[in-house]
Amino acid sequence: MTDNNAELFQLSPEEHQLTQKLQNIINHEIEQAGGTISFARYMELALYYPSLGYYSNPLFKFGAGGDFITAPLISDLFGQLIARQISELFSFGVAAGILEFGAGNGKLACDILMMLGAQITHYYILELSADLALWQRAVIAEKCPEYLSKVVWLESLPERFNGVMLANEVLDAQPCNLVRVNNQEITELGIGYSLDFGYFYHDYRSNSPAVNAARELNLPYLNYQTEINLSSRGFIRSLSESLERGAILLIDYGYGESEYYHPQKNRGTLRGFYRQQVLDSVLYYPGICDITASVDWSSIVSTALDSGLEFIGYTTQANFLLNCGLAKQMQQLKSELSEPEYLKISNQINKLVSPNEMGESFKVCGFSKNIEQDEWLGFSSGDRSYSL
Ligand SMILES: C[S@@+](CC[C@H](N)C(=O)[O-])C[C@H]1O[C@@H](n2cnc3c(N)ncnc32)[C@H](O)[C@@H]1O
């Protein structure tokens, strides 16, 4: 570990115990597999192993003092503007139900329920982490108890869903495979373990679904490492199978294929976080550190089209929020609030829309199934689909 990162980690005895337990489980699996597991499997264990993985354990992670802050935690306006888009979809005749994936600490659900709670029939949440599901229930019970009875936590996707599916920063937390290209040879990287060095990257296989998917891309052929996210493709296919009639809204950081697999990104987009600091390696302390990779939006859109969804739009988070009425909302707040209150909200909004913060790097993508209207408020200007 670099000195920089060693100083950052002051693990409590509880954190030490947790990561040690998880490392024993991962090491056992590596041993059983003959010395190497895929990076996707490592990431799955590190993030989602029941009660120990990063998202499954009860350690604090969201917001100031945690490891990362997401848009709903920055400002209530984020959820309120998403609710406007959803409300428009209801006016198109989409059934008034919502299914949110990976609802984090429940903040987005609360903001949407406070806007649309009276109108909707149910708000489903599909969450992989039992601990986060408990947390979401407590937050909703505290902030909007009148709508708690409409919220239902699901264990799996409904066979047939009518309504609006929503996922903010979920795709970036899905386990990805790693590939390396050298002298035009593509290899999938796996993870090995040794007592001396801890976890290390290892050439794993030259024939696998990830390698085949990488061959379809025009990757630079010298000393290039990147991610292929097969689980996100599977996720999109399963959403399409479940959605009978309605809409899907996905929000996350990422780019189209040509930018994602640009020669300059020769170490890919994979990164680890601890206490809002980017780590030098994503392999430090499984269960304690967050692991994430940007979204290759081209592969999401092409998978969606192949699985029968209609593409509606792709734009930046800034454009989407402005299209949903952000400027008007701010004008109204200016006339209602004191100057310091308004300044506080302006700073929050700046984080959501400024090109140097989340405004450009985060994208919003919309799909539909069996609805006629293909002109949605959020995508009315600032189309970026040319970059896919
Ligand atoms: C970065 S957090 C984002 C949380 C929240 N949406 C927010 O914006 O604050 C990622 C979330 O995605 C969830 N997640 C990842 N893959 C998922 C899947 N396939 N289905 C449902 N939830 C998933 C994780 O458990 C976690 O709650």
Side-chain angles (χ1 to χ4, degrees), residues 8 83 161 193:
L8 179 67
F161 175 78
Y193 174 79

Side-chain angles (χ1 to χ4, degrees), residues 19-203:
T19 187
Q20 199 51 62
K21 268 194 197 166
L22 185 53
Q23 287 179 42
N24 291 343
I25 288 161
I26 297 173
N27 298 351
H28 181 69
E29 187 160 328
I30 291 176
E31 203 183 301
Q32 293 287 302
T36 315
I37 56 174
S38 71
F39 180 78
R41 179 62 183 156
Y42 174 87
M43 187 166 164
E44 189 182 353
L45 293 168
L47 296 185
Y48 301 108
Y49 191 86
S51 35
L52 297 174
Y54 179 77
Y55 283 111
S56 313
N57 71 47
L59 299 173
F60 186 72
K61 43 195 73 84
F62 291 95
D67 300 316
F68 57 83
I69 299 182
T70 58
L73 306 184
I74 293 174
S75 167
D76 304 347
L77 277 177
F78 180 79
Q80 291 169 8
L81 293 164
I82 301 279
R84 282 206 180 166
Q85 174 60 83
I86 295 176
S87 174
E88 183 192 50
L89 291 165
F90 293 162
S91 77
F92 292 163
V94 170
I98 295 176
L99 166 50
E100 186 184 351
F101 297 91
N105 70 354
K107 175 67 169 55
L108 181 58
C110 284
D111 290 336
I112 293 177
L113 281 165
M114 284 194 252
M115 294 287 288
L116 303 176
Q119 205 181 338
I120 63 174
T121 50
H122 50 267
Y123 195 111
Y124 290 141
I125 295 180
L126 181 51
E127 173 58 67
L128 299 184
S129 157
D131 182 72
L132 285 178
L134 286 178
W135 199 357
Q136 291 154 14
R137 182 183 291 278
V139 169
I140 295 167
E142 189 199 320
K143 298 211 162 156
C144 42
E146 66 276 35
Y147 299 123
L148 184 61
S149 61
K150 293 194 177 187
V151 186
V152 180
W153 280 265
L154 303 178
E155 298 280 316
S156 59
L157 263 172
E159 240 169 70
R160 279 188 294 165
F161 175 78
N162 286 279
V164 180
M165 293 175 164
L166 175 66
N168 184 55
E169 289 206 41
V170 170
L171 296 171
D172 72 78
Q174 297 186 333
C176 56
N177 297 79
L178 280 188
V179 293
R180 178 150 55 200
V181 198
N182 217 350
N183 291 329
Q184 287 179 319
E185 285 290 313
I186 303 181
T187 321
E188 182 174 349
L189 291 182
I191 298 299
Y193 174 79
S194 85
L195 269 179
D196 295 336
F197 304 110
Y199 295 111
F200 58 88
Y201 296 104
H202 188 57
D203 278 346

Side-chain angles (χ1 to χ4, degrees), residues 115-326:
M115 294 287 288
L116 303 176
Q119 205 181 338
I120 63 174
T121 50
H122 50 267
Y123 195 111
Y124 290 141
I125 295 180
L126 181 51
E127 173 58 67
L128 299 184
S129 157
D131 182 72
L132 285 178
L134 286 178
W135 199 357
Q136 291 154 14
R137 182 183 291 278
V139 169
I140 295 167
E142 189 199 320
K143 298 211 162 156
C144 42
E146 66 276 35
Y147 299 123
L148 184 61
S149 61
K150 293 194 177 187
V151 186
V152 180
W153 280 265
L154 303 178
E155 298 280 316
S156 59
L157 263 172
E159 240 169 70
R160 279 188 294 165
F161 175 78
N162 286 279
V164 180
M165 293 175 164
L166 175 66
N168 184 55
E169 289 206 41
V170 170
L171 296 171
D172 72 78
Q174 297 186 333
C176 56
N177 297 79
L178 280 188
V179 293
R180 178 150 55 200
V181 198
N182 217 350
N183 291 329
Q184 287 179 319
E185 285 290 313
I186 303 181
T187 321
E188 182 174 349
L189 291 182
I191 298 299
Y193 174 79
S194 85
L195 269 179
D196 295 336
F197 304 110
Y199 295 111
F200 58 88
Y201 296 104
H202 188 57
D203 278 346
Y204 182 31
R205 42 194 183 185
S206 53
N207 190 3
S208 69
V211 170
N212 292 339
R215 288 204 180 104
E216 306 269 306
L217 299 163
N218 190 14
L219 295 180
Y221 57 83
L222 263 185
N223 189 20
Y224 193 80
Q225 184 179 312
T226 191
E227 309 88 38
I228 303 283
N229 203 321
L230 300 177
S231 25
S232 291
R233 298 178 197 192
F235 176 72
I236 297 298
R237 281 192 286 269
S238 61
L239 300 202
S240 173
E241 248 169 59
S242 165
L243 185 66
E244 189 171 53
R245 181 167 182 275
I248 303 178
L249 264 184
L250 305 172
I251 307 156
D252 222 314
Y253 37 85
Y255 351 84
E257 188 176 297
S258 58
E259 202 178 337
Y260 198 101
Y261 297 111
H262 192 278
Q264 279 173 354
K265 289 203 173 63
N266 66 352
R267 282 296 162 267
T269 72
L270 192 65
R271 49 212 183 275
F273 285 93
Y274 179 72
R275 301 286 179 260
Q276 309 198 16
Q277 304 278 331
V278 182
L279 302 173
D280 300 327
S281 166
V282 298
L283 302 178
Y284 295 150
Y285 297 125
I288 302 295
C289 305
D290 185 21
I291 306 175
T292 177
S294 299
V295 176
D296 164 14
W297 283 110
S298 302
S299 80
I300 297 295
V301 171
S302 63
T303 306
L305 292 175
D306 288 348
S307 49
L309 291 169
E310 190 184 333
F311 173 69
I312 295 294
Y314 173 74
T315 190
T316 61
Q317 177 169 292
N319 282 330
F320 187 86
L321 296 178
L322 286 162
N323 290 337
C324 288
L326 175 62

Side-chain angles (χ1 to χ4, degrees), residues 330-347:
M330 289 303 284
Q331 254 175 4
Q332 195 179 328
L333 287 173
K334 195 170 185 181
S335 66
E336 290 168 4
L337 298 176
S338 68
E339 214 176 307
E341 283 170 333
Y342 178 73
L343 207 67
K344 190 172 154 207
I345 295 186
S346 302
N347 286 337

